[in-house]
Amino acid sequence: MLSKKTYPHFLVFCFAILAAPLVAQQGDSLQFITIGSPGTVAKGKVKLTGRVADEATGEAIIGAILQLQPNGANDVTTVDGKFTLTALPGNYVLEISYLGYETLRAKLEIHGGGILDFTLRDKTIDLEVVTVLDRGREDHVRAVVPGVELLTIEKIERQSKFLGETDVLRSLQAVAGVTSAGEGASGINVRGGNTDEILIFMDGNLLFNPQHALGFFSLFHPDLVNDVTLYKGGSPARYGGRLSSVLDVRLREGNNQHLSVNGGLSIASSRLSVEGPLLKKKASFIVGARAGYFDWILKQTQNVDLRKSQAFFYDVTAKADARLTPTTKAGFTVFAADDKFRFAEEVKFDYATYSGSAYLKQLVGKKVNLAAQANVGQYISSLYDVAGNDQSQFINRIHYRRGIVSGFYQPAAAYQLEIGTELSRYEVLPGELKPVGVSILKPEKLPAEQGNELSFFVQNQWSVSEKLELAAGLRHTFYKNSGPDNVLLYEPGVPKEEETVVDSLQFSKGEKIAGYSGLEPHFSGRWSVGKTSSVKLGYNRSYQYLSQVSNTASALPISVWQLSNHHLAPQKADNFSVGYYRNFQKKPVDAHLELFYRKIYRLIDYKDFAQLLLNDHIETELLTGIGKAYGVEFYLHKNYGRHKFEGSYTWSRSLRQVEATATQEAVNAGRWYPSNYDKPHSLNVNYFWQMGTKVSLSMNFVYSTGRPTTAPISSYTNSNVWAIPIYSDRNQFRIPDYHRLDVALDIGPWGKKQGRENSLTLSVYNLYARKNAFSVFFRQQPAKPVTAYRLSVLGTAFPAITYNFKF
């Protein structure tokens, strides 16, 4: 675990993009800086922007305080080390301070706006307690978009640790409105949305399955993560294609000053990263790799089949960035991950993600930034049947290519404009069956499906006044499903069944099968109530053309991904949110209360006992309906000296309705019913105690309502079978509630004087050994009634020790 966050290093902007030469030198005496041309003086207030970094490493400094005297303007640097100050032309003294660094003072002679970059020199001091802020407290209130969660790596490291390892997705489950189906479940659910309704990026790489080991670890290497942004409700118009939320994970750039190595060893996994300059102060690289080996964990579980199972994973992430010219920057990120999981002696999963992205950014003058990014990758999964004489391998695959071009324009400090276009192409192989060994099965392969998605977007952000800020955007998407394909036609006015096929249509390669389009408005606004509180509103519409189809409680790695086509129109959702945000000045307390509502149209569900794998007429197994999710979130964060408390509570519902029509049957007679991931109550409490300069304790408690399930409610007997079960309506019962307590003790770092850092993490996951149920299933012995059984994936406490190093 890193003891200090590292961030991308940006060089000082060159003379060509400034109104006049800017020079910021560090020293013991007062520095003099002239901004703008002395011959011309701007009218009204001007804007000064820049970045504050560590002098030795070039890493951004978060939370540095800037004070401009005598007018009193001040700011706090963001997670990128950036700041913004406004002032009338004149003479000022700028003071920059941060705990552990020498205070910098500079005399400014301001004639116009400009860009200044500063570096602070490390100051060696011994302190009993050092408090690092995740972000400026003002950001909590002043941000214009509601429902946005920003997690820095320091905050992630204070969250729950499974087997001593920091994990992005597990940390996100402590955020209000975020849940999962349970231990061993893949993905997360945001505000009542399905796992496939989250748009996930890692440095521009699109991800379809973000987790390793059936949900125990995520794909994100913790030592490479810079920050994580989760848009739970509203989002900028540049994002589209998913119904519920956006998760944007940004990796940090490598150190362009010197070579360093970072890693960790634990009882379940190992990780290593190397970073350094390719060209000193101009280009850098960072490479990280992880491997997981936790068969022994499965042997400690209560489930007999899991004790006979095996699991292994690895991932490799590499990134390079270069400053080509003072105004041009380029880079790329490549990623590969593979998982292998064998369940007892019956089945085996093998799934992998391969992706690469490249970007180019160009600064044009002072007000325009141009950016282009390309991404190509694939997600492939296999299910092996390894028993009997019908051994086989079932494969499905998604191959995708994406490109996005955008421009950012800021003509004034109070107004920003972004405009761009995005083109995506998907090729989905829904299923291929290959016999393995001596098998009686014959090969089968469904035809691949193609989909093209073209979008244009524009986003505006306007600070109307000190109190009012607005953000409005529009995204227009055009989608085409194309051949080659054979589309079955069904008898009109009756449900789609294999027996009601009346004809078919043959489409050649590239020929249009179906087309859809839609306008997606995005709007948010913030009204400040004094200096310490605000009210925020948000709304956005989104379309989803690629959806995951599953009839299990939690989507599996081999679950089918289905493109919108002739029979299935894209899903559509309207998201609304309103929230009240407050900072209490006399006490270091941040809090907010937010209400949300989502309405979903053309929602995809499935028939009872649906056969989804290797089905060339899958539309006969699917149903469409409507859905809604609504709730309220409460969040509280408080610092008290060495102690940090954070808690969130969410009450929410996620409901569906599938009514009978002329062409489909109903679910639960057309009544509303809970989705598989409906959890009305969710509580997360985190406590952090900085016990000393090198020892800290974190505790995390999680509680949630048990998810819905379907259960037998009675039985009947005929002449041949005794006690045939009759099941309830879908999802009318619930498994037991989920709760657990995790603790972790971090010791270190030590050894800094020798040029290396060492630390230990001692942790216990599920401290009181709660046997949380992942599901409840039912079995029936001959001549006996149906009996319920609880399946606990991890039914005991798991202590762990992790050794971390850096040199």
Side-chain angles (χ1 to χ4, degrees):
M1 182 186 69
L2 295 174
S3 60
K4 180 179 179 181
K5 184 172 182 180
T6 54
Y7 288 89
H9 174 66
F10 293 88
L11 298 178
V12 177
F13 285 102
C14 70
F15 171 86
I17 63 170
L18 302 178
L22 302 178
V23 181
Q25 301 292 334
Q26 182 109 13
D28 297 332
S29 61
L30 196 66
Q31 301 299 312
F32 294 86
I33 303 174
T34 300
I35 307 169
S37 301
T40 60
V41 179
K43 295 181 180 179
K45 288 187 176 182
V46 298
K47 185 173 71 169
L48 308 178
T49 61
R51 181 175 181 268
V52 180
D54 185 290
E55 183 183 63
T57 66
E59 298 167 359
I61 297 178
I62 312 169
I65 300 173
L66 295 92
Q67 294 180 317
L68 196 62
Q69 300 297 339
N71 79 333
N74 60 80
D75 196 18
V76 177
T77 55
T78 66
V79 293
D80 298 320
K82 296 180 180 179
F83 66 88
T84 300
L85 296 170
T86 58
L88 292 170
N91 296 322
Y92 301 88
V93 173
L94 174 65
E95 182 176 284
I96 306 176
S97 59
Y98 186 72
L99 188 63
Y101 288 84
E102 296 180 1
T103 298
L104 181 148
R105 293 179 178 85
K107 185 175 181 180
L108 306 184
E109 184 179 312
I110 300 175
H111 301 277
I115 303 173
L116 305 107
D117 286 355
F118 296 95
T119 59
L120 299 185
R121 183 177 301 162
D122 184 42
K123 182 178 181 180
T124 303
I125 54 176
D126 293 324
L127 294 177
E128 185 178 0
V129 178
V130 177
T131 301
V132 180
L133 298 178
D134 294 321
R135 56 180 178 175
R137 293 186 65 213
E138 294 80 5
D139 292 349
H140 175 74
V141 172
R142 293 172 58 184
V144 65
V145 180
V148 178
E149 299 286 344
L150 174 64
L151 275 68
T152 60
I153 191 63
E154 285 91 353
K155 186 172 182 179
I156 293 172
E157 288 173 344
R158 293 198 301 268
Q159 303 297 330
S160 170
K161 293 180 174 65
F162 177 62
L163 300 176
E165 290 296 314
T166 300
D167 189 82
V168 169
L169 289 189
R170 192 169 294 280
S171 298
L172 280 172
Q173 292 175 27
V175 171
V178 180
T179 61
S180 75
E183 289 164 334
S186 180
I188 56 176
N189 307 101
V190 179
R191 288 185 171 178
N194 201 355
T195 55
D196 71 320
E197 296 173 7
I198 309 171
L199 183 65
I200 304 176
F201 289 115
M202 182 178 66
D203 254 26
N205 292 275
L206 179 63
L207 301 180
F208 288 92
N209 181 4
Q211 293 193 324
H212 283 302
L214 297 178
F216 293 121
F217 295 86
S218 72
L219 300 186
F220 311 109
H221 193 304
D223 294 342
L224 272 65
V225 172
N226 185 53
D227 58 68
V228 178
T229 304
L230 176 66
Y231 297 91
K232 297 187 294 184
S235 64
R238 67 179 292 112
Y239 298 110
R242 297 295 187 272
L243 298 184
S244 74
S245 54
V246 179
L247 176 62
D248 194 354
V249 179
R250 299 287 183 175
L251 305 181
R252 63 185 182 88
E253 296 180 11
N255 192 314
N256 64 9
Q257 301 285 334
H258 56 80
L259 187 70
S260 64
V261 178
N262 194 5
L265 301 171
S266 76
I267 56 179
S269 64
S270 298
R271 69 184 194 279
L272 183 71
S273 63
V274 182
E275 61 182 300
L278 293 170
L279 186 61
K280 197 166 185 179
K281 295 186 178 181
K282 291 186 177 181
S284 66
F285 77 92
I286 184 168
V287 179
R290 293 188 302 166
Y293 37 84
F294 44 95
D295 293 355
W296 70 271
I297 299 175
L298 301 176
K299 295 186 184 336
Q300 307 303 314
T301 62
Q302 303 297 313
N303 185 271
V304 175
D305 291 328
L306 283 177
R307 290 203 295 267
K308 299 178 183 178
S309 302
Q310 298 176 329
F312 171 80
F313 75 80
Y314 80 87
D315 61 53
V316 179
T317 308
K319 180 178 181 178
D321 299 273
R323 179 76 66 177
L324 303 181
T325 72
T327 59
T328 308
K329 192 174 182 183
F332 68 86
T333 302
V334 293
F335 174 77
D338 194 8
D339 276 76
K340 300 183 185 300
F341 177 80
R342 183 183 180 113
F343 182 73
E345 302 297 329
E346 300 176 10
V347 297
K348 183 174 69 172
F349 294 103
D350 188 352
Y351 52 100
T353 298
Y354 307 99
S355 186
S357 66
Y359 75 88
L360 177 66
K361 296 180 180 179
Q362 178 68 50
L363 179 65
V364 182
K366 303 176 185 179
K367 301 177 179 179
V368 177
N369 286 278
L370 302 178
Q373 188 173 60
N375 174 215
V376 60
Q378 78 169 357
Y379 173 69
I380 182 171
S381 63
S382 296
L383 171 65
Y384 294 85
D385 188 340
V386 296
N389 61 355
D390 58 351
Q391 298 180 44
S392 62
Q393 178 188 11
F394 173 79
I395 306 170
N396 63 30
R397 178 190 301 112
I398 303 174
H399 184 271
Y400 59 90
R401 286 168 283 179
R402 302 173 49 253
I404 181 171
V405 178
S406 63
F408 180 83
Y409 176 55
Q410 187 170 10
Y415 180 75
Q416 300 173 1
L417 171 68
E418 184 182 19
I419 187 169
T421 182
E422 180 178 2
L423 176 63
S424 301
R425 177 172 175 81
Y426 304 100
E427 182 177 308
V428 179
L429 176 65
E432 179 180 6
L433 184 69
K434 294 182 178 180
V436 175
V438 180
S439 176
I440 61 174
L441 299 178
K442 295 182 180 180
E444 292 185 60
K445 184 177 181 179
L446 299 180
E449 302 174 352
Q450 288 79 30
N452 295 316
E453 187 177 343
L454 174 64
S455 300
F456 300 93
F457 61 87
V458 59
Q459 179 77 23
N460 298 271
Q461 187 162 327
W462 181 27
S463 296
V464 182
S465 66
E466 286 292 327
K467 291 183 174 292
L468 179 62
E469 187 169 3
L470 301 175
L474 187 64
R475 184 182 181 94
H476 196 180
T477 302
F478 303 88
Y479 171 82
K480 183 180 77 169
N481 175 226
S482 58
D485 200 2
N486 182 48
V487 177
L488 300 178
L489 300 179
Y490 298 87
E491 183 180 344
V494 297
K496 294 183 179 69
E497 303 284 352
E498 191 174 359
E499 295 77 13
T500 62
V501 175
V502 295
D503 202 352
S504 65
L505 297 175
Q506 189 69 39
F507 294 88
S508 59
K509 183 177 181 180
E511 187 177 359
K512 180 179 177 180
I513 300 174
Y516 303 95
S517 65
L519 281 171
E520 303 178 9
H522 296 246
F523 172 80
S524 58
R526 183 261 302 160
W527 177 262
S528 296
V529 183
K531 295 182 179 180
T532 60
S533 60
S534 64
V535 176
K536 302 179 187 180
L537 300 172
Y539 164 76
N540 75 282
R541 169 171 289 181
S542 56
Y543 290 85
Q544 183 162 333
Y545 300 96
L546 179 60
S547 303
Q548 194 173 36
V549 181
S550 173
N551 56 358
T552 59
S554 172
L556 297 173
I558 49 86
S559 294
V560 174
W561 285 85
Q562 180 64 53
L563 283 167
S564 296
N565 54 31
H566 177 81
H567 295 290
L568 292 173
Q571 299 182 87
K572 182 180 75 172
D574 290 318
N575 294 281
F576 303 86
S577 59
V578 57
Y580 176 71
Y581 292 72
R582 175 73 184 269
N583 289 341
F584 296 87
Q585 294 287 55
K586 294 183 178 180
K587 300 179 180 180
V589 176
D590 309 330
H592 73 252
L593 181 72
E594 189 162 335
L595 291 81
F596 64 89
Y597 179 83
R598 178 186 303 117
K599 184 65 177 292
I600 305 174
Y601 307 88
R602 300 192 291 266
L603 178 147
I604 299 176
D605 214 322
Y606 58 90
K607 296 180 180 180
D608 292 332
F609 311 108
Q611 173 58 41
L612 302 178
L613 300 184
L614 211 65
N615 189 337
D616 61 355
H617 46 272
I618 194 171
E619 62 271 8
T620 64
E621 303 287 353
L622 301 180
L623 306 170
T624 58
I626 58 175
K628 59 183 177 182
Y630 53 88
V632 58
E633 300 170 354
F634 176 73
Y635 169 84
L636 177 69
H637 173 261
K638 175 178 173 57
N639 291 331
Y640 185 76
R642 304 179 183 183
H643 308 274
K644 186 186 296 289
F645 171 85
E646 190 174 30
S648 67
Y649 168 76
T650 304
W651 177 85
S652 64
R653 297 304 310 270
S654 177
L655 306 174
R656 297 183 163 202
Q657 183 184 47
V658 178
E659 295 183 300
T661 66
T663 58
Q664 75 171 23
E665 59 191 62
V667 174
N668 292 5
R671 296 185 296 272
W672 288 94
Y673 61 96
S675 67
N676 288 335
Y677 32 88
D678 174 63
K679 293 185 173 183
H681 301 283
S682 178
L683 174 69
N684 295 276
V685 180
N686 302 309
Y687 169 70
F688 178 80
W689 178 20
Q690 187 70 47
M691 304 172 66
T693 56
K694 296 181 179 180
V695 181
S696 63
L697 174 71
S698 60
M699 304 178 67
N700 310 99
F701 176 77
V702 179
Y703 167 84
S704 66
T705 306
R707 62 171 180 77
T709 189
T710 305
I713 55 176
S714 62
S715 63
Y716 69 94
T717 303
N718 62 18
S719 58
N720 298 316
V721 181
W722 183 83
I724 301 173
I726 300 175
Y727 280 82
S728 69
D729 286 345
R730 188 177 298 180
N731 290 346
Q732 297 304 297
F733 293 89
R734 293 187 179 273
I735 67 174
D737 292 352
Y738 180 98
H739 55 86
R740 73 169 198 275
L741 175 66
D742 309 324
V743 296
L745 183 70
D746 293 312
I747 305 172
W750 69 86
K752 284 187 175 182
K753 293 183 179 179
Q754 290 75 37
R756 60 181 300 170
E757 296 181 14
N758 304 274
S759 65
L760 285 176
T761 299
L762 309 177
S763 64
V764 182
Y765 181 85
N766 193 13
L767 180 65
Y768 50 82
R770 163 76 174 176
K771 291 180 173 60
N772 286 300
F774 176 75
S775 66
V776 173
F777 62 97
F778 305 89
R779 286 179 178 171
Q780 182 178 14
Q781 302 295 331
K784 293 183 178 181
V786 176
T787 304
Y789 294 86
R790 173 191 296 198
L791 171 62
S792 297
V793 178
L794 298 176
T796 187
F798 285 93
I801 180 171
T802 303
Y803 167 65
N804 307 286
F805 59 87
K806 182 179 182 181
F807 58 86

